[in-house]
Structure formats: C-alpha cells, structure tokens
Amino acid sequence: SKVCENSAKGVCLARIKSEIDGGKPVLVNIGSSTDNHTLFAYGYINGAADFSDIKVYDPANLDTSDIHGRVVDLYNAMDYNGDKFTIWSLRPTYIS
C-alpha cells in the first residue's frame, strides 16, 4: 500500500531523514501499483522539509556519465519518471 501521499508527506520525509541520519540510505519506490520505479535516497538539505530537499540517485535518468544514474532531488526524479508523485515503499538499507 502507499506510504506517502499529500496527507502523509511530512511523516514520509521525517522517516527518510531519520534513516539517513542513522547512516542508512533509503530505497524509495515511486509510482503506481502497475508502473513503479526505485530510487536511492542518500542525503538531504534544509532539514528534509520537502521532496526537493531529498538527494537521490535515479538510475532511470541517464542524462549523465555516472554509472549510478543521475544525482537529483526526489521531486525531480518523481517528475522525470512520468509524474510519479506517490511513494509506495521506503526500505532502509542496513550496514553490517
């Protein structure tokens, strides 16, 4: 089920910020149940107050020479990938 829509945006951003603060980058799945895309969130600015403050690698945005995909903000990635402004899941990575 969806974890972040307009009503839950602040909660979602706080969770991403908290995981990054704990040293765990986050896999962010955006889109719909039939058309989705995964991003790698690794940092933020401005206290992670908005989607545009979350820094991500977007593997679908290959307008770059970086093998990891383009370094953009979460808002840009959502817009670039076909107006996918719904977050379906957040999965923190775990470093052992």
Side-chain angles (χ1 to χ4, degrees), residues 75-93:
Y75 181 89
N76 178 282
M78 291 170 152
D79 188 51
Y80 181 86
N81 288 286
D83 295 323
K84 295 181 180 177
F85 288 97
T86 299
I87 294 178
W88 281 83
S89 67
L90 299 173
R91 295 183 183 150
T93 57

Side-chain angles (χ1 to χ4, degrees), residues 57-72 80:
Y57 281 116
D58 181 2
N61 190 334
L62 298 177
D63 185 20
T64 181
S65 60
D66 190 329
I67 193 168
H68 303 294
R70 188 167 181 206
V71 176
V72 295
Y80 181 86

Side-chain angles (χ1 to χ4, degrees), residues 3-24:
V3 298
C4 183
E5 290 186 291
N6 289 335
S7 61
K9 181 178 177 182
V11 172
C12 184
L13 291 169
R15 182 168 171 212
I16 293 171
K17 179 182 182 294
S18 174
E19 295 295 344
I20 291 171
D21 287 347
K24 297 177 268 184

Side-chain angles (χ1 to χ4, degrees), residues 21-74:
D21 287 347
K24 297 177 268 184
V26 182
L27 296 174
V28 180
N29 186 258
I30 61 172
S32 69
S33 61
T34 58
D35 183 19
N36 55 65
H37 177 62
T38 301
L39 311 165
F40 182 78
Y42 65 91
Y44 61 86
I45 59 172
N46 301 325
D50 204 347
F51 290 142
S52 60
D53 296 333
I54 306 296
K55 301 300 178 191
V56 300
Y57 281 116
D58 181 2
N61 190 334
L62 298 177
D63 185 20
T64 181
S65 60
D66 190 329
I67 193 168
H68 303 294
R70 188 167 181 206
V71 176
V72 295
D73 61 63
L74 182 55

